Amino acid sequence: MTLEQLRIFVAVAEQEHMTRAAGVLNLTQSATSAAIAALEDRYAVKLFDRIGRNIRLTDAGRQFVVEARAVLARAAAAEAVLTDLTGLARGSLSLAASQTVGNYWLPPLIHRFHQKYPGINVTLKIGNTEQVTAWVHSGLADLGFIEGDIEDSGLSISNVANDELALVVADTHPWAAMKKPTAADLKDGKWVVREPGSGTRHVLETVLSGLGIARNEISIALELPSNESVRAAAVVAGAGATIISRIVVANLLTSGALVELKIPMPSRRFFLLRHKEHHVTQAERELEKLIAETPQ
């Protein structure tokens, strides 16, 4: 069994399609299929079920993919140790971030880092807070950035920035003329929310709980998977109120397309996650230094 076979297996498992996985890996479809067939034949186990043009992991495949990812993560960590010996002339840095952090706060920092260290290949995966935590914990990301509170004894967690949140509605919304909606208003209105597991969704539920409003007492018009879709629904469609990071809607608040309403709002922090057993590379230290030197 080789690392290349494991890399191909994991890609096929994630893409659920041989041709798409081959494209991601920059391999031919025949080479990709041959690697999977070699694994299945050598160990006399079926890793995938073929369903039409798509494929799905078997029970054995689902168990094996966990181990395969762990081996690849350890190999990447070993490579990082050797690469670190060359300084910052070359190497890689794998980042994961929840949506608010990854789409708005982190990109300018990555750009500045790349300008300073062009030989370091930086990749970024976007997910919600729970997904990012899992990626860092499993070694699929060197560093994670989230906006939600988590507890994980295997990770070191440090505050790197603060975030302001706002309750906003479209300028055409009935609440737009209000200075401060009541708890009754909040119960009666329609809401546009992020999916469970996101830091923004957690803040919404915390705010409502502080006002004595249970989750099942509000009417959710739309549950959407990204800040951009929530923003569009709140502004373009006027589908309802939402609580969202101010950096996501700053330009719309300035233009007047969105109106901010005043209710008690908790502060929120952006956190950096690192596995406690993960080797800390020079690239990671330099990115953290850049973040610490950036005015908040």
Side-chain angles (χ1 to χ4, degrees), residues 167 175 181-193 200-220 241-243 263-266:
L167 168 61
W175 293 357
T182 66
D185 293 325
L186 300 181
K187 287 182 182 180
D188 292 340
K190 300 289 186 181
W191 289 86
V192 180
V193 302
T200 304
R201 174 67 171 265
H202 177 71
V203 170
L204 168 66
E205 293 174 351
T206 299
V207 168
L208 294 176
S209 176
L211 294 170
I213 302 171
R215 157 65 186 82
N216 59 5
E217 292 184 291
I218 65 168
S219 175
I220 295 178
T242 193
I243 289 177
I263 65 170
M265 195 70 65

